[in-house]
Amino acid sequence: MAKRVYEVWEGNNKFFFGGRLIFGPDAMSLLVTLLLIIVPVVIFCVFVARHLRHAFSPYNAGFAILVVAIVFTLIVLILLFVTSARDPGIFPRNSNPLEEEFQYGSSSAAVAEGRQTEVVVLVNGNPVPVKYCHTCMFHRPPRCSHCRICDNCVERFDHHCGWVGQCIGLRNYRYFFMLISSATLLCLYVFSMSALYIKVLMDNYNGTVWKAMQKSPPSVILMAYCFIFLWFVGGLTGYHLYLIATNQTTHENCRSRAANRSNIYDRGCRSNFIEIFCTKTKPSRNNFRALAQEEVCSVR
């Protein structure tokens, strides 16, 4: 019986629902990420937002605090799923390395009889040497890199994120940034609403901050938790804003600083943001549900 591509896949990915969902080999780390998101929000809804429902009479505007927390959390969870469960931009392995033909823009080169000839392409008028991947058996296009964890070459490779259990590349970077920025806003929201509840308790009991904190230990725990995680997700959001503004990936930024190289992909801040957020996501190069022999014929 013929097997499908996901059943004979040579990378380290994990597939679910018949190849419809693709994760990295560390997909189980998603459970930790889910707990870090869901548990604090449940505590917030039960011990903070529930008590603020009637704090803003006569319109019971406090109900909005609970609704916003739930909606915000759902958005974060959806973005987490979209980021981690899709093809990040994997280049399929070369099924016939003896007849490889490399093409990028207006540049092209052929490799005959397995000879790994040096390939140089022009990017914005700058010559860029293209490396040969001995695992995937082809010359990697510019901005493509091989992930050692997933064992795949990924287009516009940024990094492998253990928190989402997936590579971050061309096809999911946009959603990754939306995920971390939304998580930052959720942390700010929970922190500020917990602080508001402490203020409400102070007003209701004519007490000090210390007495209000004693009446609501969960609020104090949530504020401390959000403060700590804001340094992580907030700093990560700021760093990736810088990368987007300068049209760099994490991989490129680390390598360029080490080698003191200039950034040849920067097209201006506005154009760089448009490239990330306003361009159509490229279709996957892989049909994981196709029959294996059929896929081999179609990808090369």
Side-chain angles (χ1 to χ4, degrees), residues 145-157:
S145 187
H146 192 90
C147 175
R148 295 181 179 179
I149 298 175
C150 292
D151 199 24
N152 296 310
C153 279
V154 179
E155 191 171 4
R156 202 184 186 278
F157 176 76

Side-chain angles (χ1 to χ4, degrees), residues 26-90:
D26 50 350
M28 292 301 294
S29 62
L30 270 173
L31 297 177
V32 177
T33 305
L34 286 171
L35 288 175
L36 290 173
I37 296 172
I38 295 175
V39 171
V41 172
V42 170
I43 294 173
F44 173 76
C45 291
V46 173
F47 295 101
V48 177
R50 182 170 63 90
H51 298 296
L52 289 172
R53 289 178 300 170
H54 307 290
F56 304 97
S57 57
Y59 302 106
N60 288 330
F63 276 98
I65 295 175
L66 182 62
V67 172
V68 170
I70 294 173
V71 171
F72 231 135
T73 304
L74 289 175
I75 291 173
V76 171
L77 294 178
I78 291 171
L79 289 171
L80 176 62
F81 175 78
V82 173
T83 302
S84 61
R86 70 183 304 162
D87 176 1
I90 298 172

Side-chain angles (χ1 to χ4, degrees), residues 40-284:
V41 172
V42 170
I43 294 173
F44 173 76
C45 291
V46 173
F47 295 101
V48 177
R50 182 170 63 90
H51 298 296
L52 289 172
R53 289 178 300 170
H54 307 290
F56 304 97
S57 57
Y59 302 106
N60 288 330
F63 276 98
I65 295 175
L66 182 62
V67 172
V68 170
I70 294 173
V71 171
F72 231 135
T73 304
L74 289 175
I75 291 173
V76 171
L77 294 178
I78 291 171
L79 289 171
L80 176 62
F81 175 78
V82 173
T83 302
S84 61
R86 70 183 304 162
D87 176 1
I90 298 172
F91 269 92
R93 280 171 164 77
N94 188 6
S95 59
N96 196 350
L98 298 182
E99 299 178 1
E100 180 199 1
E101 182 178 350
F102 176 83
Q103 290 185 340
Y104 179 80
S106 59
S107 303
S108 65
V111 179
E113 299 179 357
R115 292 195 301 270
Q116 298 166 16
T117 59
E118 181 178 351
V119 178
V120 178
V121 299
L122 293 178
V123 178
N124 296 329
N126 299 279
V128 177
V130 175
K131 293 184 178 181
Y132 184 85
C133 179
H134 294 275
T135 302
C136 300
M137 296 181 292
F138 66 88
H139 287 83
R140 295 194 295 257
R143 316 198 84 174
C144 176
S145 187
H146 192 90
C147 175
R148 295 181 179 179
I149 298 175
C150 292
D151 199 24
N152 296 310
C153 279
V154 179
E155 191 171 4
R156 202 184 186 278
F157 176 76
D158 190 86
H159 70 289
H160 183 94
C161 181
W163 295 103
V164 302
Q166 181 64 282
C167 286
I168 306 302
L170 178 69
R171 300 189 69 251
N172 65 349
Y173 180 80
R174 178 186 306 172
Y175 304 104
F176 171 76
F177 177 79
M178 293 169 65
L179 168 65
I180 58 176
S181 57
S182 297
T184 299
L185 293 176
L186 180 60
C187 278
L188 286 171
Y189 181 77
V190 172
F191 180 91
S192 58
M193 291 301 105
S194 298
L196 175 64
Y197 184 49
I198 295 293
K199 178 64 169 59
V200 169
L201 290 175
M202 289 175 59
D203 295 339
N204 290 345
Y205 295 98
N206 296 320
T208 62
V209 174
W210 176 247
K211 289 183 178 180
M213 292 169 63
Q214 287 179 316
K215 289 185 178 294
S216 180
S219 297
V220 180
I221 295 173
L222 287 171
M223 290 173 66
Y225 179 88
C226 291
F227 179 79
I228 293 171
F229 270 83
L230 267 174
W231 285 98
F232 172 68
V233 292
L236 198 59
T237 300
Y239 175 63
H240 279 277
L241 275 173
Y242 161 73
L243 293 179
I244 294 172
T246 55
N247 204 337
Q248 297 183 77
T249 65
T250 301
H251 182 69
E252 291 166 352
N253 182 252
C254 294
R255 293 185 64 187
S256 63
R257 284 188 298 176
N260 195 26
R261 292 182 298 189
S262 60
N263 176 20
I264 62 175
Y265 301 104
D266 189 0
R267 300 189 300 168
C269 184
R270 181 174 177 272
S271 296
N272 293 337
F273 271 91
I274 290 175
E275 179 181 330
I276 295 296
F277 297 108
C278 301
T279 55
K280 185 178 180 180
T281 302
K282 288 185 177 180
S284 174

